[in-house]
Amino acid sequence: MQTENSTCTDFHEHERTQHDSITIHARTRSHLEAAVEAAVQQLSARARYRKQGILVTRTAPGTVIVSLDPNVPCGMSYERTTW
């Protein structure tokens, strides 16, 4: 599993856009899936504390934003695609 401090030619490090979201850029599906899973895990504690869910938004091929969202029920994660 990739961590924030790791580097790989097929994987761009997570970019923290805010404390409540993580933007992920990846070149392969396997790296993208692993990075999304890691981002959801990183935000889970904050989501429970704030009683919010997690929204996974695919904004472009290989780009995903994982964020806390007050419109997603606590304990749930929703996915959407905007491209």
Side-chain angles (χ1 to χ4, degrees):
M1 183 178 302
Q2 298 289 337
T3 63
E4 262 191 60
N5 296 328
S6 68
T7 58
C8 176
T9 57
D10 293 328
F11 177 79
H12 297 279
E13 290 184 27
H14 298 232
E15 296 175 20
R16 286 200 181 273
T17 55
Q18 303 175 13
H19 292 292
D20 297 340
S21 70
I22 298 170
T23 300
I24 301 163
H25 303 281
R27 293 187 184 149
T28 67
R29 183 180 186 131
S30 61
H31 284 127
L32 184 64
E33 290 174 1
V36 168
E37 184 67 30
V40 168
Q41 290 299 320
Q42 287 179 332
L43 293 176
S44 290
R46 177 172 274 134
R48 284 189 303 272
Y49 175 76
R50 294 176 62 182
K51 296 183 177 16
Q52 296 179 343
I54 296 175
L55 180 63
V56 178
T57 305
R58 298 178 188 280
T59 59
T63 303
V64 174
I65 299 171
V66 180
S67 58
L68 300 183
D69 191 308
N71 297 315
V72 177
C74 184
M76 301 292 293
S77 60
Y78 289 173
E79 292 186 23
R80 73 174 176 178
T81 301
T82 61
W83 58 279

